[in-house]
C-alpha cells in the first residue's frame, strides 16, 4: 500500500483538496510541497514545505511522515 504522499497543492487545473481529504480518510500521511504559503484552512496534520527546498529537506520530511513504519525496499525490511 501507499505509505505517504507528496503533493503540489495548487496546479493550473485545480488543487489537491479532494485528494488530501481522501488520503486523510485512509490514514495516509502527506506533505504539501508548494510555492504558495500554507493555507489558513489547511489541516494541522500535514507537513507544508515551501519551494524551493533541497532534496535533503524533502527526504527528511518524508522520513518523518513515515515514522517507524516498516517499509519493504528491494526485499529488505527497515524500521
Amino acid at each position: 500500500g501507499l505509505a505517504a504522499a507528496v503533493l503540489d497543492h495548487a496546479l493550473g487545473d485545480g488543487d489537491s483538496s479532494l485528494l488530501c481529504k481522501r488520503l486523510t480518510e485512509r490514514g495516509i500521511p502527506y506533505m504539501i510541497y508548494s510555492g504558495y504559503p500554507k493555507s489558513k484552512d489547511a489541516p494541522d496534520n500535514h507537513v507544508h514545505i515551501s519551494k524551493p527546498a533541497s532534496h535533503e529537506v524533502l527526504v527528511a520530511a518524508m522520513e518523518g511522515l513515515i515514522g517507524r513504519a516498516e517499509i519493504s525496499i528491494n526485499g529488505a525490511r527497515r524500521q
Side-chain angles (χ1 to χ4, degrees), residues 7-42:
L7 308 172
D8 189 340
H9 185 64
L11 299 173
D13 61 349
D15 65 39
S16 61
S17 295
L18 181 58
L19 180 55
C20 292
K21 181 180 177 193
R22 289 184 178 166
L23 290 170
T24 300
E25 288 169 354
R26 288 167 175 75
I28 299 169
Y30 62 91
M31 69 175 162
I32 302 293
Y33 182 49
S34 179
Y36 295 99
K38 184 174 182 176
S39 168
K40 292 176 266 179
D41 300 328

